[in-house]
């Protein structure tokens, strides 16, 4: 017989998380290979835009984990929307994730009234649609492959006379 309780308990939550992590690691060679590597832990990634007075004009909050960038929040003050600031914040986060943290993919969630078209125009693809979450709103999950910058072209050595 089990006693079932419904209460917030941070110590049990942490124990449950630890046990689930151990179970997942035992069941997945991919997760087992992450253990003990820099990619094992989430690393915060924040990008801020400040106006000339030093006030917050926009920002992006996310994290990187296991070669993925996860964008949690992207916001631009209404006074600065339409000027490309959101695009700059997103591009900066993607560049940091790709070049400094080795991320190959990005993911995010957005609602239908927020910015799904904004993200689509920046190369994100919808991979999940949850209608009525919350009631009356549709949630989208989008992902993007973070392409590596092309290598600069190699200089062509000059041809010498008579060489073919």
């Amino acid at each position: 017989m089990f006693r079932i309780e419904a209460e917030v308990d941070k110590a049990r939550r942490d124990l449950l998380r630890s046990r689930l992590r151990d179970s997942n690691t035992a069941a997945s060679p991919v997760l087992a290979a992450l253990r003990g590597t820099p990619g094992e832990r989430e690393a915060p990634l924040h990008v801020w835009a400040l106006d000339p007075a030093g006030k917050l004009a926009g920002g992006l909050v996310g994290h990187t984990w296991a070669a993925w960038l996860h964008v949690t929040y992207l916001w631009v003050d209404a006074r600065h929307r339409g000027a490309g600031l959101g695009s700059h914040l997103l591009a900066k986060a993607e560049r940091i994730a790709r070049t400094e943290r080795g991320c190959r993919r990005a993911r995010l969630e957005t609602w239908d009234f927020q910015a799904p078209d904004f993200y689509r125009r920046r190369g994100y693809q919808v991979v999940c649609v949850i209608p009525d979450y919350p009631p009356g709103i549709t949630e989208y999950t989008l992902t993007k492959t973070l392409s590596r910058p092309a290598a600069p072209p190699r200089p062509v050595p000059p041809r010498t006379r008579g060489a073919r």
Side-chain angles (χ1 to χ4, degrees):
M1 190 67 135
F2 297 98
R3 183 176 77 229
I4 306 297
E5 299 175 355
E7 65 183 60
V8 174
D9 184 323
K10 291 179 182 177
R12 287 183 189 163
R13 179 205 61 201
D14 292 344
L15 177 61
L16 182 82
R17 181 185 305 142
S18 174
R19 290 187 178 172
L20 179 61
R21 182 173 175 251
D22 291 344
S23 295
N24 289 344
T25 300
S28 169
V30 172
L31 294 177
L34 276 174
R35 280 285 178 106
T37 70
E40 177 182 23
R41 297 275 183 228
E42 291 180 2
L45 197 160
H46 300 177
V47 182
W48 308 107
L50 306 175
D51 69 15
K55 295 186 179 178
L56 185 65
L60 181 147
V61 171
H63 67 271
T64 56
W65 176 76
W68 279 79
L69 163 63
H70 187 176
V71 176
T72 309
Y73 309 118
L74 173 59
W75 174 83
V76 173
D77 187 279
R79 295 172 294 175
H80 304 291
R81 292 183 189 150
L85 185 54
S87 296
H88 288 296
L89 291 165
L90 186 59
K92 178 73 170 181
E94 290 173 352
R95 189 169 39 260
I96 291 168
R98 184 183 69 244
T99 62
E100 297 177 22
R101 300 187 185 186
C103 292
R104 295 185 303 264
R105 305 276 312 229
R107 68 169 289 190
L108 55 89
E109 297 80 29
T110 190
W111 285 322
D112 55 4
F113 66 88
Q114 289 179 318
D117 291 334
F118 168 84
Y119 294 113
R120 283 187 192 112
R121 288 190 302 271
R122 281 144 194 87
Y124 284 78
Q125 296 180 335
V126 174
V127 295
C128 179
V129 178
I130 305 174
D132 222 27
Y133 182 76
I137 296 173
T138 299
E139 182 179 90
Y140 296 89
T141 300
L142 298 97
T143 64
K144 177 181 179 178
T145 298
L146 301 177
S147 60
R148 300 241 175 237
R154 292 184 179 181
V156 177
R159 295 183 76 184
T160 58
R161 285 187 188 215
R164 290 191 179 209

